[in-house]
Amino acid sequence: MSSTYKYPLANTKSKEETGFEFVMNQLQTYSPYGAKALKNFEPFRQGGEDALNALFDDMDRLKAFASAQPELVSEIIRCLWESKEMSLTLQRCMEDTLSVVELFEVKTFLLRSGRVREILEDCLEIVPERYRLTVTTPLLDVMDPQHERMDTFYIYDSFSEKLAELRKENRELEKELRRAQKEIRTALEKQHGFHMTPKFELIVPKANKELMALAETLPELKRGEEDYMNVVFTLTPNDAVYEIQGRSEELKARIADEEDKVCETLTRNIAQYKSALANNCLVLGRIDMDLAKVIYANEHACTRPEISTEHVIEIEEGRNLQVEDVLRQKGKEYCPVSLRLTDGVTAITGANMGGKTISIKMTGQTALLAQYAMYVPAKHARIGLSNFMQVLIGDSQNVQRGLSSFGSEMEELKEILDHAQERSVIIIDEIASGTNPAEGLALTRAFMSYFAKHPYITLFTTHFDHATVGGNMKNLQVRGLSGADFGKLSRELSVANRRQRIEILGKYMDYRLEEVGGSTESPRDALNIAHILGVYDEIIDEAKKYLL
């Protein structure tokens, strides 16, 4: 796993450029444990093939379960969503007495994790170790002596015989107090002809001056709350009531002490299960994270990658999920691309608008997803685990440091050279395009020659012809407009506005790749596109002379 490596598998920019970060941000976890598991998940690297395949085996079972039992999966998701973070509670149970609120949260966690365990055990013939929750039913029985299995927590009488006796005594005392208060109320009502509420209150309208005056003079009553219409008078305790209230306060203090002892006992029981509870937190996190992955895979037609011990990236009909999402929103379809990469240099050539950059983003995204134990957007993919990946795509201008796009590009290439190691994947989009063509071609060839001598899978896009010269290099070309019906294309463009013409042109582009000889010139789609979009024939013909 990558924790043993000095450098991360891929830097943040590479993850963003390929759309890997886009996919990860779309994964929906439901518990704090799942969010933590996803955040801390380490990618697999060389030597981790068996462990990664074992994880995919487990996820395959979860994936099949998610497809076959959507209602039960929804119930698991509800349990995950209702599971609160317990790390602090588990820490406190070893040092202090848990509060009633914390005890309630522990009981809720026991109910939810227990239900998830029951569902998995009922639906999976053998629950993989990765998803196997420790049985904590004995602790739940202690926390729920009534066996009600409800989302409530109360310090029941059944927790303590002494507590039950004290509460019974307190209930009798409350009855005695009400009897004493009723005697006072009855005497007042009989003597003065007014009626008090069941709460022993006399509500006097301010407009009733006579009753107000009477109430103010009675020693059995005391003035309490008031509003703009009424004044509320309550009973003044007599000696008998004071005596009962005194006994009640003493009894309530004894009850509180006994409740604290119950909380201490329950806390000690929870402490004995600390390891089991902590393990179940981790397992719920794995279940949550892996469910997010398989649900996403089912929704986006992703497949399990074949993990190879060879250093290889083979993708059949691969898609970039971020680009596909954008196209889908526009009502367009993604053109899948296939390619096979091994150690050495592969260059993709073709005109702008030919999808070269999208193809390399798709390649990087697929490789990264596989190493992070994600299903991949391809009909089939065979991936050999790499130890380092870096992607250099797009305009790399660094205005803050005063660097041009070329200068910043060279800085990033230096970083790649410094950090690349055996079984690296290096993806570079049109280096040296910001300098003069002669030097640009020279630098491109020099970088290709360097990378070809090392155990790296290196994928370039370039607009330079004849860039791949030498051994351990191959050239792929975007098919582009080579198979297009130019007559039909021209007729469609002739009746379209400017925006529609670009979209029509994109519809006729074939973004698939095909291998060609290293000396083969790039197809002249740039001239074809310029001509189709209305650039004068005189200019096109002149350009063709310079290509001879």
Side-chain angles (χ1 to χ4, degrees), residues 410-423:
M410 291 302 110
E411 264 203 345
E412 290 192 47
L413 281 165
K414 173 64 165 57
E415 180 184 348
I416 291 173
L417 296 174
D418 289 343
H419 295 164
Q421 53 191 287
E422 185 179 358
R423 292 177 74 109

Side-chain angles (χ1 to χ4, degrees), residues 464-482:
F464 294 119
D465 287 342
H466 315 305
T468 53
V469 177
N472 211 20
M473 298 185 191
K474 67 177 180 180
N475 188 31
L476 300 178
Q477 281 187 358
V478 179
R479 294 184 181 182
L481 296 173
S482 59

Side-chain angles (χ1 to χ4, degrees), residues 85-135:
E85 172 59 56
M86 282 218 312
S87 57
L88 182 59
T89 299
L90 293 179
Q91 180 182 333
R92 273 180 37 79
C93 78
M94 305 300 293
E95 305 164 353
D96 204 350
T97 299
L98 298 180
S99 67
V100 172
V101 172
E102 289 171 315
L103 293 172
F104 165 70
E105 290 178 349
V106 172
K107 179 186 174 185
T108 300
F109 180 83
L110 293 169
L111 288 169
R112 298 294 172 268
S113 58
R115 180 55 186 149
V116 172
R117 179 177 55 79
E118 290 171 0
I119 292 173
L120 294 179
E121 288 179 352
D122 287 344
C123 296
L124 301 179
E125 225 174 278
I126 299 175
V127 178
E129 181 67 29
R130 179 175 176 80
Y131 311 133
R132 199 171 297 162
L133 289 151
T134 304
V135 176

Side-chain angles (χ1 to χ4, degrees), residues 313-331:
I313 298 176
E314 291 181 3
I315 302 171
E316 182 183 353
E317 295 186 13
R319 308 166 346 256
N320 181 283
L321 289 163
Q322 185 174 16
V323 175
E324 184 177 50
D325 185 69
V326 172
L327 291 175
R328 185 181 293 113
Q329 292 176 26
K330 295 180 178 179

Side-chain angles (χ1 to χ4, degrees), residues 9-62:
L9 175 65
N11 61 18
T12 301
K13 184 178 178 183
S14 296
K15 292 178 180 179
E16 291 175 349
E17 291 283 11
T18 59
F20 171 83
E21 206 65 46
F22 167 83
V23 175
M24 300 305 285
N25 289 336
Q26 284 199 322
L27 295 183
Q28 177 67 64
T29 56
Y30 294 90
S31 70
Y33 313 112
K36 185 177 181 180
L38 190 61
K39 180 181 178 181
N40 296 333
F41 189 82
E42 295 283 353
F44 291 81
R45 302 207 201 184
Q46 181 186 12
E49 291 84 2
D50 290 343
L52 179 53
N53 276 317
L55 175 51
F56 271 120
D57 288 342
D58 292 345
M59 290 172 58
D60 281 349
R61 301 184 72 179
L62 201 61

